[in-house]
Amino acid sequence: MKRIIVTFTLILSGLTSFAQQDAQYTQYMYNTINVNPSYAGSRGVMSIFALHRTQWVGLDGAPTTNAVSINTPLNNSNLGLGVSLVNDKIGPTQENTLSADLSYTIPTSETYKLSFGIKATANLFNLDVTRLNPVDDDPSLHDYSNKFTPNVGAGIYWHSDHSYIGLSIPNFIETNRYDDNEIAIFKEKINYYLIAGYVFDLNYNLKFKPALLTKMVNGAPLQVDVSGNFLFNDKFTVGLAYRWSAAVSAMAGFQVSDAIYIGYGYDFETTRLQNYNAGSHEIFFRYELFKNNKRITSPRFF
């Protein structure tokens, strides 16, 4: 293949520079199941989650991510179960990742629990050759249509109603998505995650939660996301986030009912890419099923 569309090359360069291997989320504190399987069942109810992210609006071929998941504790046991599906599009490539998560939780004190989790993943990678510009037809490109690869991951998650910390590796197996003359130029590398958060009760109707996500990928700069969210009257959430050397974000959310929560985030790029896009948008929806239709007195903040 003599030439790949310029946009795709720029995007891949950006993704390498900012260590985006797994799909990237601004509101990671609500989408923990995708990075840490130990989160499965930790909310104590069946939780259904859906997210749409449009990154770098206006840049042709920029990433678009759709994620849906469901996780629940299993009755009368310490087990939690989760299933998630992520669709990630970048330039001429598309990945569909289906994951199953299993967790086991043990109490470590009256307020804290420790969860262990494992993740099994099936990935379908597709390269749309019609969006490339080869001078001559390259038969090797056709090998990347719906290419299947399995993977496994694991994590731990220590949590209470007011705080959490977790370590995880969603994928232990490195996979070459695209090779050119046996040189991997698009490779799914191992991602290491550290997440943490704490909820401060400032007064009877105001809570503040700082949160942290750190992602490390071999051969790429360390990614650090820090955020702070305020929760008013257990209903309305507003906050800011900063992705180290990458973006500043604004976030908002609303607890529509005991079962329904919706959220929105906007990223403003702080790198040279800001000259080529209008920012990134992210919206999500969470629906929870409570046992015996019991209402909650105070929604958990993560």
Side-chain angles (χ1 to χ4, degrees), residues 79-259:
L79 296 174
L81 183 65
V83 177
S84 60
L85 176 64
V86 177
N87 172 263
D88 206 19
K89 298 178 182 178
I90 305 175
T93 69
Q94 181 174 187
E95 289 187 80
N96 289 292
T97 303
L98 177 65
S99 300
D101 304 288
L102 182 66
S103 69
Y104 184 80
T105 300
I106 58 175
T108 58
S109 69
E110 291 185 359
T111 55
Y112 279 89
K113 298 177 181 179
L114 181 62
S115 300
F116 304 88
I118 56 175
K119 179 186 290 286
T121 298
N123 180 278
L124 282 177
F125 175 81
N126 184 64
L127 175 64
D128 183 0
V129 296
T130 64
R131 298 190 61 185
L132 305 179
N133 297 309
V135 174
D136 301 309
D137 183 52
D138 187 345
S140 66
L141 292 177
H142 301 287
D143 295 335
Y144 296 93
S145 177
N146 293 321
K147 182 179 180 181
F148 170 78
T149 53
N151 221 311
V152 293
I156 58 174
Y157 183 65
W158 190 50
H159 56 100
S160 70
D161 287 340
H162 282 81
S163 63
Y164 65 90
I165 184 170
L167 291 168
S168 61
I169 303 175
N171 297 315
F172 281 113
I173 303 172
E174 293 191 343
T175 304
N176 293 340
R177 295 288 187 248
Y178 172 66
D179 294 319
D180 188 6
N181 296 324
E182 298 183 352
I183 299 175
I185 63 172
F186 189 15
K187 183 174 184 176
E188 183 71 17
K189 295 185 177 181
I190 297 175
N191 289 242
Y192 304 86
Y193 287 90
L194 167 66
I195 58 173
Y198 192 90
V199 179
F200 295 92
D201 292 314
L202 301 183
N203 58 45
Y204 72 96
N205 64 355
L206 178 62
K207 298 177 181 177
F208 173 64
K209 184 190 68 178
L212 166 75
L213 180 145
T214 300
K215 180 166 66 173
M216 183 174 67
V217 184
N218 185 33
L222 181 70
Q223 179 180 310
V224 179
D225 290 47
V226 292
S227 64
N229 279 292
F230 290 92
L231 176 63
F232 299 89
N233 295 319
D234 289 329
K235 287 290 185 182
F236 182 67
T237 302
V238 63
L240 295 173
Y242 176 65
R243 183 172 302 118
W244 191 266
S245 299
V248 175
S249 308
M251 300 174 289
F254 184 67
Q255 190 78 41
V256 178
S257 66
D258 290 337

Side-chain angles (χ1 to χ4, degrees), residues 239-290:
L240 295 173
Y242 176 65
R243 183 172 302 118
W244 191 266
S245 299
V248 175
S249 308
M251 300 174 289
F254 184 67
Q255 190 78 41
V256 178
S257 66
D258 290 337
I260 298 174
Y261 184 82
I262 57 175
Y264 170 78
Y266 174 80
D267 296 356
F268 175 79
E269 196 73 24
T270 59
T271 69
R272 288 179 295 176
L273 276 173
Q274 66 179 278
N275 299 318
Y276 305 98
N277 72 90
S280 304
H281 300 271
E282 188 175 284
I283 186 169
F284 74 87
F285 171 88
R286 185 176 68 198
Y287 180 75
E288 297 186 314
L289 301 175
F290 299 99

